[in-house]
Each structure stands twice: as structure tokens, then as C-alpha cells.
Amino acid sequence: MKLTRHFTPSLFLSFVHVCLVQANYAPYFFDNGDRSTNGNMALLSLSEDTPTGTHVYTLNGTDPEGDPVTYGLTYEAGSRRYFSVDKHLGNVTLVEELDREKEDEIEVIVSISDGLSTVSEKVRILVTDANDESPEFINTPYIVQIPENTPSGSSIFKIEAVDRDTGSGGSITYFLQNIHSNKFTIDRHSGVLRIKTGVTLDYEKSRTHFVVVVAKDGGGKLRGDNKVFSATTTITVNVEDVQDTPPMFIGTPYYGYVYEDTLAGSEVLTVVALDGDRGKPNSIHYCIVNGDEGSFEISNSTGAISVIKSPNQLKKEVYELKVQASEVSQEGDISAYAFAIVTIRVVDLNNHPPTFYGENGPQNRFELTMYEHPPEGEILRGLKITVNDSDQGANAKFNLRLVGPGGIFRVVPQTVLNEAQVTVIVENSAAIDYEKFKVLTFKLLAIEVNTPEKFSSTADVAIRLLDTNDNVPKFSSDYYIARIPENSPGGSNVVAVTATDPDSGLWGEVKYSIYGTGADLFLIHPSTGIIYTQPWATLDAEVNSKYNFYVKAEDTDGKYSLAEVFITVLDVNDHSPEFNENIQEKTMIIGSPVKIEAIDQDAEEPNNIVDYSIMQADPANVFDIDQSTGEIKLKSYIRSLDIIHNITRNKDCIWSLVVQAKDRGSPSFSTTAVLKIDITEETLHKGPMAAFLMQTKDNPMKALGVLAGVMGIMVMITVMISTAMFWRNKRSNKVMPVRRIIKKRQAHPPRTVRMEWLKLRRSSNAAEKFIVEEDARNENSNNNAQAGAAPPPAPSPPPPPILAATPAWRVPTVSGTLSPPFLNKQLRRKGQGGAHSALVSELKMKFEERNAALGNAHI
């Protein structure tokens, strides 16, 4: 029984556990509907430009029993893993870049598990398009062959570009660059290239055209911005020649000669004609139209003209043959033709040298006037030169060449048979320069080639050049540097600039002008280039010492060059040193220097360097001055006021010095000033009153004004108190018996506000404080006491102090304090208070006189 009881609870728990396991329900995803970012990722779509690392979705589900769930993402084998998931939170993150053009759907297996049961679902995620692709041209390169006679407006080619994007980002429009200079247009939608209306192609002018085509998509969103992509390509349009130009003879006019010993059938000369259509030229067929009179024939294919009779059978001395050159197409049709005249002269044996002819017959000098620098390849048409050898056959074959400066001209033809028109062609235009050669002289030499005699002849060719404006005025320097003293008067010359123009006549005349912000004070002579100051200009190195501007040299055709001008205004010693305004009076503490300062307004050294000196001092040998800094010191042996008192009887220790400030310019300027120096000892710098007096040392009237203001305020307060007490007594109902008895009030001395003069509180302190005590008399002037005992009588004023004789009243500035009257004698006996005691006495007397005057005015 015990064993059975032991296993019964265990079996019961096992049974309950099995029941619970059998009752477990699987978890499931929430279905939050379309466009929801929570659920099982069904119906999810993402733009392909979504950045990696973006939280794109949250898997969301639950377990019926409320157990915690975990989430998972799996992929089929071989698939790229685009997403990762937080298994606890269900947050899905994009970890691989999307590309709709490569994969527009992504299959993902999402799962949810409660630990016992797992539910998996396969979902498809749609990748939407973003405008991330550029248009691409297909079937490149584009090369088009088109006949030159293609009508304007014709379609000649169709290009095609594709864009793998969808919507507006995949739509493509076409357009051409440089549309105004282009001979073509393109349909913006179809990409069909056409010849512009009214435009024709010409193989002889331009054989190839390069057309730049731009393909642009319709734009679309990419990472939040609207993007438009484009691509370019080039269409090469090759123009094919079409037979639309007649043939042209080369080397006209044609001259041939039949000599007296020429055999029948001999070649006289060859005419050459070329098809004007050089792309696909037709063959040329030659024939003699008339003028041969049965004596000459021509090769149909080569154009060689031969004599078919012996010279003695020729009846005329000169034959003029009309030769026709016809184009023959591949089909054998004659499409175009041209004519040329061939002159054939019958001559005898080699007994004549080559001869040059002008318009009026034989000539051995030819002149031509032409402008310099003609275009290269230009023919000197003004030279009408014909060369002729009257002999027949090989005896009339000779070479032509120019003898003279080489490489400038060339002569055509170089080999002549019988007769030819001499053509001189420009070969080097730059060498035909009027500034180098006014006249170019050449020898035109004709010398036979295959004759033993080597007959030759020469003709002089003189080419006179005319000038053109082919040069720009050129300055002698790119910049000019000048200096001018600041005291130069208006109209002073500064610098001369020079520019030359090698052209002749008016083209070589140079006109000067200046401009720029720094040119306001200057003028330039338009012909000479001399720069000078304005008549009203005043230069001041202290205001502006540097000027720069541009000078322009211009010819009559407007060709010009520039140079820069830099002008430095030299400082002149035109300012005297000036002392500061506060140097008239200085207080010197024994052992410390005082400093004076003068400023020289000149701009440069040494004109603005100031040296200081003492010109006069009484007594002498008391002060020294630093030449550079202006510091004034007592002589080294003067260390106390006692020494100064032994030197002079001037007990107030105030001296006047004549100081000089002198600059180092040439000539030098100087300024003198009278400096009053009050000498005191450092012990006077104690206490507030002493500090105040010391501060007002240089301005004694300031001290008097402050003290007078304090006394005035005290008087006003006294008057206000007296007035208030008077009105109080007047309004009182109490009858004062004294008023009935006194019939006539005795005259009293002028009532003043008295002060017990500078009562000393602490004699030990050098900076003494003053105590002001008012007279305690009845403010109502009725001699009746208001309450208590009558006030004590006012003290009598102290006797006036004995003052030393002084030339005039002055209050010197002293750094110290005022001493009470009863200490003056003791200080004098000790020899320490000469100037100090005199100051105290004078101030006290002045204050008492002022108080008395105020009292009288009040009464």
C-alpha cells in the first residue's frame, strides 16, 4: 500500500502533462490586410531603390495559449537572401540591394513558432521599379550611306534605344545636339533621322557628317529624388557622290608644237579632264570637234593629241583644235561633257631659246603690286606671263623655276613643252611681309632640258608689296615702374611708355590711353605716351603711396595691346612732429619718468622717426631725456625733494622745460613745446583725497569746481531746512513772547554756512579725511530754541595762513592729501611740506571766501 501511494501522484502529473500537450494549439500570423506593414509579409511590395539596412516590415502573430512566439525567415536553395529578421521582435531588415530588372519577385518562407509548434508560409514580395536605368542604344555603331541627291525631308535612318525601367522612366525621347548647325532632324518619339527641309547634301563640299543623338528617359523617382537619365551616340552619315558635275580640263590653256622634223604620228601634247564628281568618277572620252583639218587626232581614252601628217604637209602655222571631254557611265551613256581649245603651233628646228612674253610681246621684266600676306595657294593673277620656245618637239621642252628667296612662291608648270602660261602660286603667306620686304625680286629662269645647246632665258619678276594692318601695337615692356615725389606739382611728368606698330601710314600711328581705378589722378599724352599728373592732382604719400593702372596702345583700326603701370609716390618730409595735447603739464614722481610723445605724419622712414631733446631748463642738469622714447628722468643723483630744494629756491617743485621733437628727414623739421613738470614724492599717493588731488594735478580748476559743487549742495540743503522750519513756526498757534518784545531786530553779521576746516580724524594717515560741521543756528532766524538748550555759538574763523609770495594764483597738481592747519608748521619744520602746505593754505582761504560770498548772497 505504501508503494502504491508513492506512485499515485506521479502518475497523475504525467497524465495531466500528456493532456496539456495534446491540447496545445499552433501559433498563427495576424492578417492585417493590404498595405499593412505588420503580419506575415503577404502582399508586401518594395521599391528597388530601398537602401540596405532599412526596416521594411514587422512579422506579427500570436499563440492561442499566450506563449511567447519567435519568427524566422528561410529561402529556397540557391536563392539570394535579401532579408533578415529579429526572431523575437519580428523586425524584418533589408540586407541585400534590390534590382527589379534582375528579379522582380522574391519568394520568402516566413515562420512563427511557440516552441512546440511552428507554422511556415511561403510569401511573394513584389519589387517595384525605380528610375535607376539609363537608356542604351542598340545595334551601334550607326553608319549611314546616303546619296548626295537625296531630297530634303527624306528619312535616312532610324535609331533605337531601350530603357529597362517601366513607366515614365522607361519611355524614351530623342533629340539632336547642335540642332541649329545641323543639317538633320530627328523624330523625338520614333528616332527617325531626316534631312532638314530645304537642306541639300553636297559631296563636293562635305563628304561626312557626324550627328550626335541624345536619348532621354521620362524621369522618375530614385531614392526620393526625381531623376532623368540620358545617353548619347553618334551617327556617321557618309554622303555618296552622284553624277551631277560636268568634267573639268586640267592645265588649260593648252599649247602644242609641231617641229619641222617631227614624224607623222608623233604625240604633240596631252589634254587631261577629270570628272567633277570625285566620289565615283566616270571615265572620260575625248574627241576633236573641229579645227584639226585632218592633220591631228586624239586618243579617246588618254587625251593624247598626235599629228598624223608630216610637218611639211601642214598648211597652217597655227591650229586651234576644239576638244570635247565627255563622261561615260558604266552603262555606256554620255552624261556630261566639257570643251577646251588646244593651240598647236608648227615650228622649225632648235634654233630659238625659250622666250617670255607679256601682253604686248616679248618681255624680260614683269612687275606686280599686291597686298602682303595673301592666302596660301592664291595665284598671282596680275602676272600675265607666257613662255614659248619656237622650236619643235624635244627642242621646245624646257624647265621653269624661280630663283630668289626660297619657299615663298612656286611656279607652275615646272616643265613646259613649246609654250605655256606661267602661273606663280603663293606658298608661304607669312614670309610675304611688308615690314620685312618692300619689294620681292625673283629671276624666272627657263632652261631647255634635252638639247645639247641648253638654251635658256630669264625674266625679272618684281613684286611690290602693299602694307596691311597686320600688326598690333606692342609696348617696349609688359609693365612700367615709376616713382614720383609727393610734392610734385600738378602736370608733372611721371613716366613715358612706348609702343611701336611696324605698319605704315595711319595703321602705324599709335594712340595712347589709360584706364583703371588707379588712373584718376593721371593723364597720358595720346601721341607721345608721356604719363603726367592731372593739373589739379595733389599727391600725398600718407594717403596713398601706390597707384597702378593699365595703358592702352591702339592703332586706327582698333587693334591694341595693354601694359600695366605701377607708380610709387615717394614720401617727402613735409610734416613736422606734433606733440600730444596733454603734454603741457606733467607730474613726476621721484624715481619714475614721465613721457612725452610727438607724432610725425610722414609715411616713410626716416621722415617719420622723431628724436627728442631738452632745449632749455632752469635749473640745468636736473633732467635727462631719452632721445628715442621721449622719457624724461631726473638725474641719477636726485632721489628726494630735499636734494631738489638744495638745488633751487623754487619750493613748489614745478619747472618749465623747453622740449624739442625733431624728425630725421632732409630737410629736418622740428617742434618745440613748453612742458611744466611738478615733482613730488611717492608717499603722497595715499588716501582717496590725495588720489583725487593727484588725478586733478594737471587741471587745478577741476579740483576747485568739485569742491565748490560740494559746498553749493551743502548750502542748498541748509536753505531748505531753514525754509521748512520757518513755515512750521509761522503756521503754529503758539505766540512767541520774544516777538512782542523785540521791536527791531538787530543787525547780525552776514550769515554763512561755516565748516570746521578740514578737521583731521586720524593724524597717522597721510590721506586725511575732512569732516564738515554745519552752524547749528536757528534756521528761522528768530533766536527761539525749538527744543532743548540753545546751540553753542559758532566758532570764529581761523586766522588766515601766512602765504609765501607767489607771482600769480595757481593751483599746482599734486599727488597727495591736504594736511590740517595745525600740522603745517610741524611739516615745515621737518622740511617735508613746502609746496604741500602752501597748497593747503591757499585752498582753505579760497573755500572760506567762497562760503562767505554764498552766505551774503543768501541773506
Side-chain angles (χ1 to χ4, degrees), residues 443-472:
K443 289 283 188 181
L444 185 58
L445 173 63
I447 183 170
E448 292 179 351
V449 178
N450 297 321
T451 62
E453 296 82 7
K454 297 291 182 183
F455 289 140
S456 64
S457 62
T458 60
D460 294 324
V461 179
I463 301 176
R464 301 183 183 277
L465 298 181
L466 299 177
D467 193 21
T468 61
N469 190 19
D470 60 332
N471 292 283
V472 176

Side-chain angles (χ1 to χ4, degrees), residues 53 180 190 196 254 289 324 356 383 398 448 454 548 611 643 678 730 758 782 800 821 830 851 859:
H180 298 293
S190 65
K196 276 186 180 179
Y254 294 112
V289 177
Q324 176 180 309
F356 292 101
L383 291 176
F398 55 92
E448 292 179 351
K454 297 291 182 183
N548 76 290
D611 293 329
I643 298 175
D678 185 3
K730 185 174 182 181
L758 302 177
N782 57 8
K830 293 180 180 180
N851 290 338
I859 294 177

Side-chain angles (χ1 to χ4, degrees), residues 577-833:
E578 296 181 1
F579 283 103
N580 294 339
E581 296 179 356
N582 58 352
I583 75 157
Q584 286 82 2
E585 295 184 2
K586 297 284 186 180
T587 299
M588 177 182 288
I589 300 173
I590 295 177
S592 299
V594 296
K595 185 177 181 180
I596 62 174
E597 185 178 8
I599 304 298
D600 193 310
Q601 297 296 331
D602 286 313
E604 299 177 359
E605 296 181 359
N607 297 334
N608 58 5
I609 298 178
V610 179
D611 293 329
Y612 302 92
S613 60
I614 297 176
M615 304 299 294
Q616 182 180 353
D618 187 17
N621 298 325
V622 174
F623 299 97
D624 287 327
I625 189 168
D626 189 295
Q627 179 181 354
S628 300
T629 64
E631 288 188 349
I632 300 176
K633 302 178 181 178
L634 291 171
K635 295 287 186 178
S636 59
Y637 65 87
I638 301 177
R639 300 178 180 176
S640 66
L641 289 175
D642 293 338
I643 298 175
I644 295 176
H645 294 157
N646 292 334
I647 295 175
T648 178
R649 295 180 181 181
N650 189 1
K651 301 303 180 181
D652 58 3
C653 300
I654 298 177
W655 282 291
S656 295
L657 280 72
V658 178
V659 294
Q660 181 189 62
K662 183 178 182 181
D663 62 30
R664 296 183 184 179
S666 179
S668 178
F669 291 98
S670 62
T671 302
T672 59
V674 177
L675 174 64
K676 293 182 179 181
I677 297 181
D678 185 3
I679 303 176
T680 183
E681 288 186 328
E682 189 175 5
T683 55
L684 297 176
H685 292 272
K686 297 179 181 180
M689 182 58 71
F692 169 74
L693 292 176
M694 192 63 186
Q695 292 174 359
T696 57
K697 179 71 174 176
D698 297 332
N699 191 356
M701 296 306 297
K702 181 177 179 181
L704 289 176
V706 172
L707 293 176
V710 172
M711 297 302 295
I713 292 173
M714 295 174 64
V715 170
M716 290 177 64
I717 293 173
T718 304
V719 171
M720 292 172 64
I721 295 173
S722 300
T723 303
M725 294 182 67
F726 170 77
W727 285 106
R728 179 182 175 184
N729 294 337
K730 185 174 182 181
R731 294 178 181 178
S732 176
N733 294 327
K734 182 179 179 180
V735 178
M736 298 298 178
V738 179
R739 292 183 179 177
R740 298 185 198 139
I741 297 172
I742 298 175
K743 296 181 179 180
K744 182 178 182 182
R745 187 162 47 188
Q746 297 179 356
H748 294 283
R751 189 156 64 95
T752 61
V753 178
R754 299 185 178 274
M755 301 173 60
E756 190 170 341
W757 173 252
L758 302 177
K759 183 175 287 186
L760 185 65
R761 288 183 178 240
R762 289 200 304 265
S763 60
S764 62
N765 189 356
E768 304 296 345
K769 296 183 178 179
F770 301 101
I771 300 175
V772 180
E773 295 184 1
E774 295 185 1
D775 191 353
R777 300 177 61 183
N778 189 345
E779 296 297 335
N780 294 325
S781 301
N782 57 8
N783 294 329
N784 292 328
Q786 299 298 321
S796 59
I802 301 174
L803 301 177
T806 57
W809 163 251
R810 62 183 176 182
V811 181
T813 58
V814 179
S815 298
T817 59
L818 299 179
S819 301
F822 63 86
L823 293 178
N824 288 343
K825 291 183 180 180
Q826 297 178 5
L827 292 176
R828 288 194 187 97
R829 279 196 294 268
K830 293 180 180 180
Q832 297 177 350

